[in-house]
């Protein structure tokens, strides 16, 4: 008998049922006590249901990864996501190691109409990758990235983090668009669109997606691309987690010199008007290579600052020239823009956005940085280190993709505002959230639509998807008529 069988039969039969941890067989352990014949779950419609212990055990035996129940040593770690606001307890966690595990978990949930949450990198601001009393499909262990330098493609598993994608690609002198905090997951990031500091040159993450492996609600493992299940491939490029669990993303990579002109220029907030007014004009004519995005924030000591984060994806001398007029504005407190490793900038915000911080965010799309918007930004800024206004800069390659070529509808936005807050003390929740909403309300009149990946309040999905919505609903009905995948910016099946 091999080790795997031994674990499954001898130990599983006699001991597994009684303890929450199986030394040596952790990767397979299904945990439930003999005394309990069923555990409480919650259905898709919010009704309490019983989950038979035998069925859970069967699920565990069908998977390579473990099924974790409350009491298991790994359970609390597995249910902890990035935003400290969300403390939820799933009935069970399927810690998947491959596509077949995901298929088993999806089938288990669908057959019981059990509420499902899908966790990639765990950075959902509203905490949709975790649920109370449902099944959490945990992809955190499916986190590897491989790169083929000849085809210039990267294959990232569904639970990989952006750091792994950047690092593996850069090792081969290649890159693709990844977000600005390196511990964010490729999963949610890509499915919602995927903004990053190279998007003006290469487009959003979805514009670089060549194919994906996805487990749909029927449990089928499908490879989708523009040639295969093209409708589904269209829908996952902007439609979020609505259509299934993606176990692998295939990205187009681009040759890249990792020593790039990059870093931050910082001015005192008193000079914000000069900087932002200049930025409004200057940013309208930027090259595809230039990324420069302003942030208005307050340091812990109360000093208000404007930070311009710059990455110039090209010849540094040309970048210096393009940057020159910006550098002449006002009197910067600091100018850290120099030729340096791309990963310095890609990881500079990792600590500021540390795991466990309590956080609330709102996003909004902006077509043009007008004088009125600059006035509104200056009026909206508050001298509170917990709340800041930042931006993702789009335009260029992002705008050159047609409005309905993918399911991401906001192609004509020049920038995306993100109003973010972070704090540690739960007693400050109401106060900081109210302050963040207040800042947002001052900018909202100048915006149109929001980014589905940053929707803490749950906005109006139909209007936000605009011309893509009817097609998304029809595809949703084809692949997930029962709306099994509903913990997301949900698209109602047609
Ligand atoms: C600190 C921070 C920085 C960010 N920076 C950026 C940025 O630079 N650019 C940008 O565009 N966005 C950014 N975002 C937003 C980010 O794209 C979303 O929060 C995204 O959902 C995170 O993906 P995740 O896999 O880490 O999250 P998770 O919490 O694991 O997943 C979020 C949702 O995505 C779906 N999902 C995740 N993985 C899969 C999968 N493999 N298959 C199917 N569905 C899946 C599920 O519906 C899940 O509820 C940032 C967010 C944070 C918190």
């Amino acid at each position: 008998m091999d080790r795997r069988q031994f674990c499954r039969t001898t130990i599983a039969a006699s001991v597994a049922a009684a303890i929450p941890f199986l030394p040596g067989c952790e990767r397979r352990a299904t945990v439930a006590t003999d005394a309990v014949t069923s555990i409480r779950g919650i259905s898709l419609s919010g009704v309490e249901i019983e989950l038979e212990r035998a069925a859970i055990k069967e699920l565990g035996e069908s998977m390579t990864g473990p099924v974790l129940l409350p009491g298991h040593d790994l359970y609390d770690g597995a249910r902890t996501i990035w935003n400290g606001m969300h403390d939820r307890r799933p009935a069970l966690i399927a810690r998947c190691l491959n596509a077949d595990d995901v298929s088993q978990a999806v089938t288990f949930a669908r057959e019981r109409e059990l509420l499902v949450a899908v966790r990639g990198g765990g950075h959902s601001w509203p905490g949709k990758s975790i649920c109370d009393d449902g099944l959490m499909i945990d992809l955190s262990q499916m986190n590897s990235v491989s790169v083929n330098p000849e085809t210039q493609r990267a294959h990232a598993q569904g639970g990989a983090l952006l750091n792994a994608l950047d690092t593996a690609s850069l090792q081969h002198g290649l890159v693709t668009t990844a977000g600005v905090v390196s511990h964010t997951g490729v999963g949610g990031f890509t499915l919602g669109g995927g903004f990053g500091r190279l998007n003006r040159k290469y487009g959003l993450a979805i514009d670089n997606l060549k194919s994906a492996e996805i487990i749909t609600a029927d449990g089928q493992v499908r490879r989708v691309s523009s040639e295969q299940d093209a409708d589904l491939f269209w829908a996952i490029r902007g439609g979020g987690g609505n259509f299934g669990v993606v176990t692998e993303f295939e990205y187009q990579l681009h040759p890249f010199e990792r020593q790039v002109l990059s870093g931050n220029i910082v001015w005192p907030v008193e000079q914000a008007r000069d900087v932002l007014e200049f930025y409004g004009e200057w940013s309208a004519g930027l090259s595809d290579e230039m990324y420069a995005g302003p942030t208005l924030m307050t340091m812990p000591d109360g000093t208000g600052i404007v930070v311009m984060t710059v990455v110039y994806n090209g010849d540094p001398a040309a970048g210096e020239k393009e940057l020159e007029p910006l550098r002449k504005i006002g009197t910067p407190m600091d100018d850290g823009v120099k030729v340096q490793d791309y990963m310095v900038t890609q990881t500079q915000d990792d600590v500021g956005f540390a795991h466990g911080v309590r956080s609330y965010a709102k996003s909004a799309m902006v077509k043009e940085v007008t004088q009125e918007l600059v006035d509104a930004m200056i009026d909206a800024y508050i001298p509170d280190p917990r709340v800041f206004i930042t931006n993702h800069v789009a335009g260029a390659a992002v705008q050159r993709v047609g409005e309905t070529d993918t399911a991401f509808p906001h192609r004509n936005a020049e920038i995306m505002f993100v109003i973010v807050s972070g704090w540690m003390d739960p007693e400050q929740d109401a106060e900081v959230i109210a302050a963040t909403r207040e800042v947002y309300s001052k900018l909202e009149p100048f915006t149109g639509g929001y980014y589905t990946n940053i929707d803490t309040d749950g906005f109006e999905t139909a209007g936000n998807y605009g011309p893509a919505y009817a097609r998304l609903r029809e595809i949703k009905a084809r692949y997930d008529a029962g709306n099994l995948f509903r913990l997301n910016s949900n698209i109602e099946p047609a």
Side-chain angles (χ1 to χ4, degrees):
M1 184 184 292
D2 65 18
R3 180 178 160 79
R4 201 171 134 144
Q5 252 179 320
F6 179 78
C7 291
R8 198 184 272 178
T9 54
T10 315
I11 297 182
S14 56
V15 189
I19 58 168
F21 187 67
L22 291 177
C25 299
E26 302 91 324
R27 293 167 78 85
R28 304 206 42 78
T30 294
V31 178
T33 64
D34 272 334
V36 181
T37 56
S38 67
I39 61 169
R40 198 174 71 97
I42 197 94
S43 79
L44 290 168
S45 56
V47 176
E48 220 175 86
I49 52 177
E50 294 292 317
L51 300 169
E52 296 297 321
R53 180 178 159 280
I56 296 172
K57 193 158 179 263
E58 210 175 291
L59 171 64
E61 286 171 355
S62 72
M63 287 177 49
T64 309
V67 174
L68 310 173
L69 299 186
H72 193 291
D73 280 8
L74 301 175
Y75 174 84
D76 280 328
R79 74 182 180 85
T80 303
I81 58 170
W82 170 80
N83 189 346
M85 296 279 282
H86 309 296
D87 179 21
R88 302 194 185 116
R89 303 181 66 81
L92 65 164
I93 299 173
R95 181 158 260 195
C96 300
L97 298 184
N98 53 46
D100 286 340
D101 282 3
V102 175
S103 171
Q104 296 292 344
V106 166
T107 302
F108 179 89
R110 188 197 62 247
E111 286 176 351
R112 289 161 186 80
E113 296 189 2
L114 178 63
L115 185 66
V116 175
V118 178
R119 182 204 198 277
H123 278 48
S124 163
W125 243 297
K128 286 178 179 170
S129 39
I130 182 88
C131 58
D132 278 324
D133 301 324
L135 166 67
M136 179 185 190
I137 297 182
D138 174 12
L139 305 176
S140 64
Q141 308 304 298
M142 295 176 64
N143 54 19
S144 73
V145 177
S146 65
V147 168
N148 183 335
E150 262 135 54
T151 57
Q152 303 195 340
R153 298 281 168 91
H155 292 258
Q157 285 187 297
L161 304 185
L162 296 179
N163 194 306
L165 178 61
D166 268 341
T167 308
S169 307
L170 289 169
Q171 271 168 7
H172 297 279
L174 298 166
V175 82
T176 196
T177 302
V180 303
V181 173
S182 87
H183 46 69
T184 309
V186 299
F189 166 78
T190 302
L191 295 169
F195 289 85
R197 297 182 182 117
L198 303 180
N199 60 206
R200 289 178 53 78
K201 179 87 170 165
Y202 306 132
L204 301 173
I206 49 171
D207 303 331
N208 293 282
L209 191 66
K210 303 313 279 183
S211 75
E213 181 183 75
I214 182 168
I215 319 309
T216 40
D218 57 6
Q220 262 200 62
V221 182
R222 300 166 196 261
R223 170 65 58 177
V224 297
S225 66
S226 47
E227 284 85 42
Q228 222 173 322
D229 276 322
D231 274 352
L232 186 53
F233 185 57
W234 174 85
I236 64 168
R237 285 177 292 157
N242 271 283
F243 301 92
V245 183
V246 175
T247 45
E248 191 199 272
F249 297 90
E250 182 190 8
Y251 299 97
Q252 179 70 58
L253 303 176
H254 311 272
F256 183 71
E257 172 50 63
R258 65 185 293 168
Q259 294 297 321
V260 280
L261 185 70
S262 52
N264 303 304
I265 307 175
V266 184
W267 293 265
V269 79
E270 292 72 23
Q271 296 176 27
R273 180 171 294 284
D274 291 344
V275 174
L276 295 175
E277 283 180 354
F278 172 79
Y279 179 80
E281 276 178 37
W282 178 73
S283 62
L286 290 185
S287 67
D288 289 11
E289 285 74 20
M290 180 62 82
Y291 178 98
T295 297
L296 279 171
M297 61 187 288
T298 311
M299 308 281 278
D301 69 0
T303 310
I305 53 174
V306 187
V307 183
M308 192 73 70
T309 302
V310 173
V311 173
Y312 184 80
N313 176 14
D315 173 16
E320 294 278 8
K321 203 164 168 225
E322 192 169 349
L323 207 54
E324 206 181 327
L326 177 68
R327 283 180 149 149
K328 287 188 178 145
I329 301 302
T331 315
M333 295 158 72
D334 187 39
D335 184 342
V337 177
K338 57 185 180 194
V339 176
Q340 56 184 337
D341 194 292
Y342 175 60
M343 287 308 281
V344 172
T345 310
Q346 282 296 84
T347 54
Q348 69 176 10
D349 297 320
D350 284 9
V351 173
F353 285 98
H355 287 83
V357 67
R358 303 176 82 77
S359 189
Y360 175 85
K362 296 186 82 78
S363 68
M365 302 292 174
V366 173
K367 278 195 197 131
E368 208 186 339
V369 184
T370 59
Q371 182 62 50
E372 291 74 21
L373 178 62
V374 170
D375 293 344
M377 283 175 78
I378 288 162
D379 181 40
Y381 164 77
I382 50 171
D384 183 335
R386 297 168 301 177
V387 184
F388 62 99
I389 305 170
T390 190
N391 288 281
H392 282 274
V393 186
V398 178
Q399 279 182 351
R400 290 196 284 269
V401 177
E403 195 184 14
T404 53
D405 287 356
T406 64
F408 176 85
H410 302 292
R411 292 288 175 178
N412 61 7
E414 279 289 338
I415 61 172
M416 173 181 64
F417 272 121
V418 188
I419 298 103
V420 191
S421 45
W423 67 101
M424 295 308 290
D425 181 357
E427 294 205 348
Q428 297 177 2
D429 288 0
E431 177 209 339
V432 188
I433 290 171
T436 316
R437 287 187 177 145
E438 175 72 15
V439 171
Y440 169 76
S441 70
K442 293 189 172 160
L443 299 174
E444 194 187 4
F446 307 95
T447 65
Y450 66 94
Y451 183 33
T452 48
N453 269 1
I454 304 178
D455 67 339
T456 310
D457 286 336
F459 296 78
E460 198 259 314
T461 311
N464 193 52
Y465 275 111
Y469 196 60
R471 185 171 174 201
L472 281 167
R473 288 195 65 199
E474 188 270 314
I475 298 169
K476 175 82 173 171
R478 234 186 300 155
Y479 291 97
D480 184 18
N483 203 4
L484 182 65
F485 302 110
R486 62 178 60 196
L487 290 181
N488 42 48
S489 279
N490 198 228
I491 293 160
E492 254 184 70

